[in-house]
Structure formats: C-alpha cells, structure tokens
Amino acid sequence: MSNFLRKLKVIENITIELPISKSDFIKKFRANVEYSDLTFTPFEGFEALSSSKFEYKGNSNEQGFEIKKRRKLFDTNYSFARAKGTYKESFDKLIITAEINAFRKKMYFFLGFILLFDILIISSAVFSKSNELAFFIVPFILIHALLMIGIPYFVMRRSVKRMIYDLERDFHYWVTKN
C-alpha cells in the first residue's frame, strides 16, 4: 500500500542538509515547535480556534522527530501532512531525512463508505425495472464518485508539496536566525 501511495505522491521522502550540529538543531526544534504527541483527540477539529505562537506541533528526541503544521482559522493550506524524520550528523553537517505522509487511516473509512454508497446506488439503478433511471443515475453517481475521491486526493497531494516547501524553508530559517 505504501508503494501505491508513493506513486500517487501522497507520501514523499525528502533529505535536507543543514550546517548545524544535531544537539543545536534539537534545541532549535524544541524552541520553535509546540510539544505534542500528535495522537488523535476528540478536540482536534477545534485546533484552529486555539491560539499559539508556534506554527508547528510535534515532538523530537535524539533519534528523530515527528511534526505537523498547526491548523489556523480561515487557512486554505490544508495541513493534513505529517513529517516523520531522522537525523544523521556527518562532519559539520546535519542530514535530515523525512517521510511526508498525508494519508491518514481515517481515509480508509471515508473511501470505503463512498465506494459502498456509489456501488449500491449504481447496482440498484442498473437492476431496476426502469432503464431510464439507470441512464440518468449512473453518470451522476460516477461523477459523484470522481469528485468525492478526487478532491481529497488533490488536497492531500497539495498538502505534501506544501509541507516539503515549508519544512525546507523553516529548517533553514531556524538554523540561520540567532
């Protein structure tokens, strides 16, 4: 499944090289990221209503990190993507390798429900006694399925691209600022 999601570009890997030591980067990471274990909470939908000076939520230790962008009110950059990465210190550089993933396990339920709903409607229209009903319903349901699966797909892809851009930019900014 992971290979399929990589082909769809919903999961991507990045490598960032920074001119800093591992311990200094971890200090800067913790100074710029609000600590969170990133587990699902029932109040996750209200995150945009809370105020914070941090742009990211996540955690970090000596082996690696996990990070995601905070949701903001009226923000059109949907922050579905999460980055999970590791550090490796090489000479005077820190090499960060991260996997950006926008596909959540909640999507299995959503996609299963949409596919089941559309299959039931199409099969009931096809096996009904009226051919005119199937003629009108089947194209509508196919368009519905394309939109209900296509829109989240493109939102997740955009979220991955945006997260890659933001992480590269912000990590470099953290290293260069005092």
Side-chain angles (χ1 to χ4, degrees), residues 55-77:
E55 194 170 337
Y56 294 99
K57 290 173 70 173
N59 55 55
S60 169
N61 58 27
E62 293 296 320
Q63 289 77 33
F65 65 91
E66 189 173 1
I67 190 172
K68 77 171 200 159
K69 283 189 77 95
R70 289 183 61 86
R71 290 195 178 127
K72 297 177 187 172
L73 200 58
F74 304 116
D75 188 13
T76 58
N77 294 326

Side-chain angles (χ1 to χ4, degrees), residues 108-175:
Y108 288 123
F109 175 74
F110 174 74
L111 292 173
F113 178 75
I114 293 299
L115 290 175
L116 181 67
F117 174 78
D118 290 341
I119 288 170
L120 286 175
I121 297 297
I122 288 174
S123 63
S124 66
V126 168
F127 294 120
S128 71
K129 294 180 180 177
S130 171
N131 286 339
E132 294 85 26
L133 180 67
F135 181 74
F136 289 112
I137 295 288
V138 171
F140 172 74
I141 293 300
L142 290 175
I143 291 170
H144 173 266
L146 284 174
L147 290 175
M148 293 301 287
I149 294 171
I151 290 173
Y153 164 69
F154 287 114
V155 167
M156 286 187 290
R157 240 179 106 163
R158 175 160 166 58
S159 180
V160 168
K161 286 181 186 176
R162 186 72 186 174
M163 180 65 117
I164 290 171
Y165 172 78
D166 287 342
L167 282 182
E168 288 176 346
R169 183 194 60 180
D170 290 337
F171 284 176
H172 284 286
Y173 175 72
W174 295 349
V175 168

Side-chain angles (χ1 to χ4, degrees), residues 41-51 57 70-71 73:
T41 62
F43 303 109
E44 190 174 324
F46 298 108
E47 178 183 10
L49 301 175
S50 67
S51 64
K57 290 173 70 173
R70 289 183 61 86
R71 290 195 178 127
L73 200 58

